[in-house]
Amino acid sequence: MPSTDRERNPQALAEEDIAFIKTHLGEWLTEQSLGKPAVVYEIELRELMVRVEEELKHQRELMRQGFEQVDKRFEQVEKRFEQVEKRFEQVDKRFEQMDKRFDEMLKRHDQQFFWLLGFIATGVGLIIAALRFL
């Protein structure tokens, strides 16, 4: 013989009990909440929503200001990078000028070396010629 919910669990609620609870639940919650009627709760909820919306608006404005400050900082950093880049270009130009001067100096030293070799060869040749005639 199948047993009902009441027989298995004597504390189980009947359908009519559930219906009764559903109909009176709002009243009981109102009574437990310091006796404020539903209209008062609705007004309080609306005031709370307005305060939350105002706070969200304030937070949005703070975020916008923060983003503007970040954008300004990025612009400053970008300008600084441009200055550093210009400085590197100036240093690069100086290195190019130094390379040119170094190349010119090497050419002069090469020419002086060849002249010195020519003088030494001429001097040795004159000494050998003088020794043959003596």
Side-chain angles (χ1 to χ4, degrees), residues 19 29 43 58 61 67 70 73 78-79 102 104 111 113 127 129:
L29 288 174
I43 292 171
H58 179 69
E61 184 61 32
F67 288 137
V70 167
R73 183 66 181 139
E78 187 175 326
K79 288 179 183 177
F102 188 69
E104 291 172 2
Q111 288 174 351
F113 179 72
I127 292 174

Side-chain angles (χ1 to χ4, degrees), residues 121-134:
T122 304
V124 168
L126 288 174
I127 292 174
I128 291 175
L131 287 175
R132 279 198 175 177
F133 287 115
L134 283 176

Side-chain angles (χ1 to χ4, degrees), residues 6-51:
R6 281 256 185 196
E7 290 174 0
R8 278 186 269 147
N9 185 1
Q11 294 180 353
L13 296 175
E15 294 287 327
E16 53 215 37
D17 293 334
I18 294 172
F20 178 79
I21 291 171
K22 285 182 179 178
T23 56
H24 292 86
L25 184 63
E27 295 173 22
W28 294 337
L29 288 174
T30 303
E31 289 173 6
Q32 291 296 321
S33 302
L34 303 175
K36 294 181 182 175
V39 175
V40 173
Y41 284 118
E42 185 177 335
I43 292 171
E44 287 179 355
L45 283 175
R46 287 184 183 188
E47 289 175 355
L48 180 62
M49 287 187 334
V50 168
R51 286 194 302 258

Side-chain angles (χ1 to χ4, degrees), residues 53-107:
E53 287 174 352
E54 288 174 355
E55 184 61 29
L56 286 173
K57 183 179 179 182
H58 179 69
Q59 289 294 326
R60 197 171 334 147
E61 184 61 32
L62 287 176
M63 288 174 63
R64 187 176 296 125
Q65 289 173 357
F67 288 137
E68 287 173 1
Q69 289 176 353
V70 167
D71 286 343
K72 288 178 184 177
R73 183 66 181 139
F74 274 128
E75 289 173 6
Q76 291 173 349
V77 168
E78 187 175 326
K79 288 179 183 177
R80 182 68 179 136
F81 275 127
E82 289 173 1
Q83 291 173 351
V84 168
E85 186 177 335
K86 288 179 183 177
R87 181 71 177 133
F88 277 131
E89 289 173 1
Q90 291 173 353
V91 168
D92 191 41
K93 287 179 183 178
R94 287 185 182 164
F95 278 125
E96 288 174 9
Q97 292 172 353
M98 286 175 40
D99 283 345
K100 287 179 184 177
R101 286 187 291 198
F102 188 69
D103 288 341
E104 291 172 2
M105 187 179 70
L106 283 176
K107 286 179 186 177

